[in-house]
Amino acid sequence: MRNMAYVNGRFLPLADAKTSVEDRAYQFADGVYEVVKFYGRNAVRLEPHLVRLMESSAHLRIAGGPGLDEWKTIIEQLATENELVDDETNEYILYQQVSRGVAPRNHLFPKDAIEPSVVAYFRKAPVYSREQRETGIALSLQPDERWNRCYIKSVCLLPAVMAKQAAADAGCFEALLVRNGIVTEGSATNTYCVREGIVYTHPTGPHILTGVTRTLVFEAAEKAGVEIREEAVTPDQFAAADEAFISSTTMGIMPATRLDGKPVGKSGKPGPVTRQLAQALDAIVASELRGHEVTAK
Ligand code: PDD
């Protein structure tokens, strides 16, 4: 692939894709973003990602960004500019960001209407090892120090960054965030535990991001005949669960088999419900890639 980016109406090499030091994303984290997985030139659930990006902008009162159709045109052109290999085995990540724009530094929104800064580019998707999928990843309990508008996919990610780094420093792959004695989600993933065949995950609302993959997990569960309850659990309940897993656009369903150094479930191995859901999710993705949802073509 070529490393081409889209910046405010222009396509240019990623190395030359720049914005001002007075961009409000840079000074105030005043912007929103999306991460979409592509298989060749096809994305799964592109539209929900684009809708969430527009909703996130609206929540922050960032106006003037591309609408649904404009985004689709930009992405199609960007895929062409990048010469994406149109083959499912080539996995890419599309990063999109919309900030309020460039203005002299002032906490207040600029008085005069300004154009938002709109950026998008592709990268090769991260590769998760077979070992990670077969063994499962380790979680580390960390305090959830984020704000009360986690449903907005804002670039204000420092509390998530600190939590993920603390988890990595503890030898773990992902943080399991805890707010007021309740497990919310991961630093960049939704989280689930399974008890007696029933999956538990935090309800949507101010304290989690409503993941696009989370929605797919619910659909996979329905297909697989697995019950999911949107019920918050405590860290102790999570630790005592039979199975656990996390989900995100980049990794799909990933089994979580250790929590703070102790095995989750009796075996400490990916459990049957997790495997069943992962298979059901793969089947949905495969069926959509076979032509039920073709995008960026
Ligand atoms: N993270 N929760 C949080 C806090 C996230 O940042 C993400 C995504 C998710 C999963 O959402 P989705 O299924 O729509 O990817 C949940 C992206 C991938 C990131 O920041 O890289």
Side-chain angles (χ1 to χ4, degrees):
M1 72 178 290
R2 296 173 71 217
N3 283 318
M4 296 294 286
Y6 170 89
V7 183
N8 299 325
R10 294 172 57 214
F11 294 93
L12 65 181
L14 193 54
D16 301 327
K18 299 202 167 73
T19 182
S20 164
V21 291
E22 286 197 314
D23 194 306
R24 289 181 61 98
Y26 182 60
Q27 296 189 332
F28 297 107
D30 189 357
V32 296
Y33 76 105
E34 269 303 327
V35 177
V36 189
K37 178 113 173 249
F38 273 72
Y39 302 80
R41 288 181 63 124
N42 293 334
V44 170
R45 304 292 164 105
L46 177 62
E47 203 152 308
H49 281 285
L50 297 179
V51 167
R52 186 171 64 184
L53 184 63
M54 290 184 293
E55 284 175 356
S56 290
S57 301
H59 285 304
L60 297 184
R61 294 159 59 195
I62 294 174
L68 209 58
D69 290 341
E70 198 180 339
W71 263 124
K72 285 183 181 167
T73 307
I74 292 168
I75 293 165
E76 195 180 318
Q77 284 177 11
L78 190 60
T80 302
E81 291 281 344
N82 275 288
E83 295 172 4
L84 294 193
V85 182
D86 196 10
D87 161 342
E88 275 176 32
T89 57
N90 284 283
E91 298 184 357
Y92 304 100
I93 289 298
L94 170 70
Y95 180 81
Q96 299 163 272
Q97 185 174 306
V98 179
S99 88
R100 194 176 308 281
V102 176
R105 188 177 182 280
N106 184 339
H107 284 64
L108 291 172
F109 293 175
K111 268 209 198 75
D112 301 323
I114 53 168
E115 290 292 316
S117 299
V118 179
V119 169
Y121 60 89
F122 281 101
R123 283 278 195 192
K124 285 228 174 255
V127 178
Y128 297 101
S129 69
R130 209 165 140 182
E131 198 210 326
Q132 275 173 316
R133 299 226 178 254
E134 281 172 9
T135 320
I137 55 89
L139 295 170
S140 162
L141 289 170
Q142 297 293 334
D144 189 343
E145 294 173 336
R146 301 172 303 160
W147 66 344
N148 287 315
R149 301 195 206 181
C150 297
Y151 54 89
I152 302 173
K153 201 160 170 59
S154 111
V155 294
C156 187
L157 288 172
L158 203 48
V161 167
M162 299 304 284
K164 175 115 186 177
Q165 188 58 48
D169 292 346
C172 297
F173 176 81
E174 173 62 308
L176 186 64
L177 300 177
V178 181
R179 186 195 289 248
N180 298 329
I182 289 294
V183 170
T184 51
E185 59 177 339
S187 71
T189 55
N190 291 112
T191 58
Y192 313 77
C193 65
V194 185
R195 192 157 199 168
E196 292 171 2
I198 298 169
V199 180
Y200 295 86
T201 195
H202 195 287
T204 55
H207 296 152
I208 68 158
L209 183 78
T210 309
V212 172
T213 320
R214 181 183 183 277
T215 304
L216 277 166
V217 169
F218 276 71
E219 291 174 29
E222 184 156 5
K223 284 217 155 68
V226 172
E227 185 182 344
I228 293 205
R229 291 191 192 157
E230 290 186 274
E231 278 176 31
V233 301
T234 65
D236 284 349
Q237 287 169 325
F238 200 101
D242 303 324
E243 304 176 31
F245 62 93
I246 62 179
S247 78
S248 80
T249 294
T250 43
M251 68 186 80
I253 286 178
M254 176 70 82
T257 47
R258 275 151 293 149
L259 177 59
D260 282 343
K262 298 201 185 81
V264 176
K266 285 197 192 81
S267 67
K269 294 201 176 115
V273 176
T274 304
R275 284 178 193 281
Q276 209 185 342
L277 290 178
Q279 274 171 14
L281 190 139
D282 286 350
I284 294 174
V285 169
S287 115
E288 293 192 5
L289 288 177
R290 271 198 304 271
H292 296 283
E293 185 183 293
V294 178
T295 55
K297 271 261 186 205

